[in-house]
Amino acid sequence: MRRRQFLNAAAAAGLAGLLPNSVWGSTDWKDRFEQALADKPWLAGYAHASKDSYAAEATVQGRWPEGLTGTLYRNGPAGHEVGGYRYHHWFDGDGLLQAYRFGPRGVTHQAKFIATYKRQSEQKAGRPLYSTFATGVEAQAPVTSPDTLNPANISVLHHHDTLLALWEAGSPWEMDPATLETRGVYAFSDHTRGVPFSAHPRVDADGTLWNFGYLSMANLLLLWHIDKSGRLVKIDKIKADPITMVHDFVVTERHLVLLIAPFHYDNPGADNFLASHTWHGNDPTRVLVIDKNDFSQQQWFELPAQWVFHFGNAWEDSAGVIRFDAARAEDPLAMIDSFTAIMRGEVLPASPSLHHQYRINTKAGKIAEMPMFSPTFESEFPSVDPRVSTRRNNRLVMLSRDTRTEAPHNNLNAVTGFSYATGLRDTWRYPDTQLPEEHLYVPQHDRAPETGGWVVGSALDWRQRKQVLNVFDAEHISHGPVASATLPYALPLGLHGTFVAG
């Protein structure tokens, strides 16, 4: 089969895995959520953003770092309702792209919903027309490709001077960096339009872009290699049976590493894509190591059953030993139950996400894992200085929570820096009235990698109903924010972002 034919078939196979056989189901989720919101006002983090766009100049407190200029772009699900119908999972909402711009005149904020095919047609119809990740809707309009359903709601990538909003099962959407207007579906080549491109690509120090995608119905993984100018160098397929929804991966100087959890796609006739998967806790998590220069060179390893949303960084030494870290849970209970229940205002416990370090000896054929912290320290959204991506890193930044302390909500509530050299953690806990989102390590480019720099992240102040952006000295996080920028409105919790200096 020629490559064009393969990719067309692959896109169709991936699309088939997203189509449900069901109708809407219960329509009382909106009422139940609003009733719960009265008793748990912090649930505002999962409320629906009712406006198409937002814009404001922030009120800045503290001393804004002189060298911190540029734009923090963020993306995430925010359109949780269509025509009064509330989606059944946090990951279902339409993507809202945000831009925090830092400059000599202060901090400004802008946000716009991404004008995907799905959003435009549903807003016009005033009702849901398509299924989402975990909400089964009987199709009310033709589905011609994965991008018909694409909400562009997970992450954002800035590469080859192009801003892309990312999903997992379809194409990126190109956005105007200055206005946040939607330019349209972006394809790296004519024959890869609609082919799954994950929301967590990795960029080498030289600007080379690596990514993957998965095609559930075909039990295939796709691997992408894109040069620094945005030219597609190579795309290839790897058989992975049984398949799962791989969300993130890691890259070293010589290898790609993917963890394939035993959350098997084994029920394609289910109401929705999430329900098409079954957790097999007695099966191993398979680990695939791939040579970056030759995708046919592969090694397979096994770990105990586990679920990883996000990795920090990976690197390998001259002896062929790969090391990487991840926020590891024993199962995907958070995604299956907790992120569903929260949309109807219920709070369900999930397996804790505990940071682990992994070691793969590619020459000896051995793999090992070990927890990095105590079981009372939960973490997620790991971040490193982007200048050491795929190379050895000494610093790690993450959101965290100490389960020994109480909080009025069930979310992570602190930002933590960790030094591999000293083994020490540096933590600042957010006020109980604020829900922090992903925080990023932003380098100070006139300093060596991992020296100086800042940690930048936003939070929802649910009591004041305002959005807050905080800046920390990366070497003294526990001292608290050196500066904060407050917006006059609140927005739902998002997922991932990227910082573009300038």
Side-chain angles (χ1 to χ4, degrees):
M1 183 182 291
R2 294 181 179 178
R3 183 164 72 163
R4 181 185 296 273
Q5 292 173 315
F6 155 69
L7 291 171
N8 290 339
L15 173 63
L18 289 171
L19 297 179
N21 298 319
S22 72
V23 294
W24 287 16
S26 174
T27 57
D28 66 346
W29 286 50
K30 178 179 164 98
D31 291 340
R32 294 167 68 181
F33 178 79
E34 290 179 350
Q35 290 170 9
L37 184 60
D39 296 327
K40 305 181 186 74
W42 61 268
L43 287 173
Y46 306 91
H48 170 65
S50 58
K51 295 175 61 176
D52 288 335
S53 63
Y54 299 79
E57 183 173 336
T59 301
V60 176
Q61 293 181 316
R63 183 173 182 179
W64 197 266
E66 185 176 341
L68 183 57
T69 59
T71 304
L72 172 66
Y73 294 102
R74 283 189 49 76
N75 192 5
H80 294 303
E81 298 174 11
V82 181
Y85 178 81
R86 184 168 173 82
Y87 287 128
H88 295 180
H89 198 283
W90 183 30
F91 296 168
D92 286 343
D94 291 334
L96 180 73
L97 183 63
Q98 302 181 54
Y100 290 90
R101 305 185 194 278
F102 316 148
R105 297 182 179 179
V107 178
T108 62
H109 177 265
Q110 183 183 15
K112 286 187 179 181
F113 273 106
I114 301 164
T116 62
Y117 299 137
K118 172 185 176 297
R119 179 169 176 82
Q120 291 184 84
S121 59
E122 290 184 332
Q123 290 296 303
K124 183 177 180 180
R127 59 193 174 98
L129 301 176
Y130 309 102
S131 279
T132 56
F133 171 72
T135 305
V137 175
E138 187 173 0
Q140 304 293 307
V143 178
T144 58
S145 82
D147 290 330
T148 304
L149 311 171
N150 186 344
N153 66 353
I154 299 178
S155 188
V156 59
L157 168 70
H158 186 266
H159 189 259
H160 60 280
D161 294 324
T162 304
L163 187 66
L164 301 174
L166 305 180
W167 189 39
E168 277 188 359
S171 307
W173 280 80
E174 185 177 1
M175 310 301 297
D176 187 304
T179 66
L180 302 190
E181 293 292 336
T182 305
R183 291 178 173 173
V185 168
Y186 185 88
F188 290 95
S189 68
D190 291 340
H191 57 271
T192 57
R193 185 176 295 272
V195 175
F197 186 86
S198 97
H200 288 288
R202 297 279 174 166
V203 182
D204 265 330
D206 64 358
T208 302
L209 182 69
W210 303 90
N211 206 358
F212 68 94
Y214 57 87
L215 298 161
S216 302
M217 290 291 285
N219 288 309
L220 291 175
L221 289 170
L222 297 177
L223 301 177
W224 296 78
H225 178 192
I226 298 163
D227 70 16
K228 64 181 181 180
S229 66
R231 181 182 66 90
L232 177 66
V233 177
K234 185 178 182 181
I235 184 170
D236 209 344
K237 63 183 186 297
I238 290 178
K239 193 72 175 179
D241 187 7
I243 193 70
T244 190
M245 53 177 86
V246 183
H247 182 67
D248 194 5
F249 77 137
V250 286
V251 178
T252 72
E253 290 183 87
R254 297 192 291 273
H255 291 97
L256 315 175
V257 182
L258 296 97
L259 269 63
I260 305 172
F263 191 40
H264 302 327
Y265 181 79
D266 53 12
N267 186 19
D271 285 347
N272 56 70
F273 186 60
L274 177 61
S276 299
H277 295 75
T278 307
W279 179 248
H280 296 264
N282 293 323
D283 292 351
T285 287
R286 292 168 294 148
V287 181
L288 175 59
V289 179
I290 307 158
D291 189 313
K292 288 166 71 172
N293 296 315
D294 183 356
F295 290 168
S296 69
Q297 297 297 310
Q298 305 163 16
Q299 288 180 278
W300 289 88
F301 300 86
E302 290 187 354
L303 288 169
Q306 58 189 272
W307 180 259
V308 172
F309 271 124
H310 302 117
F311 298 92
N313 189 41
W315 62 278
E316 63 185 296
D317 60 26
S318 58
V321 178
I322 298 172
R323 296 169 177 83
F324 61 95
D325 66 281
R328 177 199 191 278
E330 292 185 354
D331 53 53
L333 192 62
M335 179 171 60
I336 298 170
D337 289 343
S338 301
F339 295 160
T340 297
I342 203 76
M343 299 308 288
R344 58 178 182 262
E346 298 177 11
V347 180
L348 295 181
S351 300
S353 177
L354 306 177
H355 223 81
H356 277 58
Q357 191 168 34
Y358 299 78
R359 180 185 176 103
I360 302 175
N361 190 322
T362 59
K363 295 182 178 178
K366 295 182 179 180
I367 187 169
E369 61 174 343
M370 62 178 297
M372 293 175 60
F373 311 117
S374 73
T376 62
F377 182 84
E378 299 182 6
S379 70
E380 249 299 354
F381 298 112
S383 172
V384 300
D385 186 331
R387 295 175 297 176
V388 297
S389 177
T390 75
R391 308 296 193 267
R392 183 170 186 169
N393 64 293
N394 178 56
R395 290 184 177 274
L396 182 68
V397 172
M398 67 203 101
L399 289 190
S400 63
R401 175 174 64 177
D402 187 335
T403 58
R404 296 171 298 180
T405 61
E406 294 185 359
H409 55 80
N410 205 40
N411 292 47
L412 299 174
N413 61 4
V415 56
T416 293
F418 173 71
S419 168
Y420 283 95
T422 65
L424 298 177
R425 298 198 305 262
D426 186 26
T427 297
W428 186 77
R429 176 171 167 165
Y430 267 83
D432 286 345
T433 57
Q434 296 184 10
L435 303 177
E437 302 177 292
E438 176 191 64
H439 283 47
L440 297 179
Y441 191 117
V442 176
Q444 190 172 343
H445 286 282
D446 60 352
R447 300 278 297 271
E450 300 190 297
T451 62
W454 307 277
V455 173
V456 178
S458 51
L460 167 64
D461 190 317
W462 51 263
R463 177 171 290 172
Q464 296 189 62
R465 297 185 180 182
K466 294 181 178 180
Q467 211 73 12
V468 179
L469 181 79
N470 285 323
V471 179
F472 301 83
D473 181 333
E475 297 181 343
H476 302 285
I477 293 176
S478 59
H479 292 181
V482 297
S484 298
T486 302
L487 302 178
Y489 43 72
L491 293 171
L493 295 175
L495 290 173
H496 300 292
T498 188
F499 182 78
V500 180

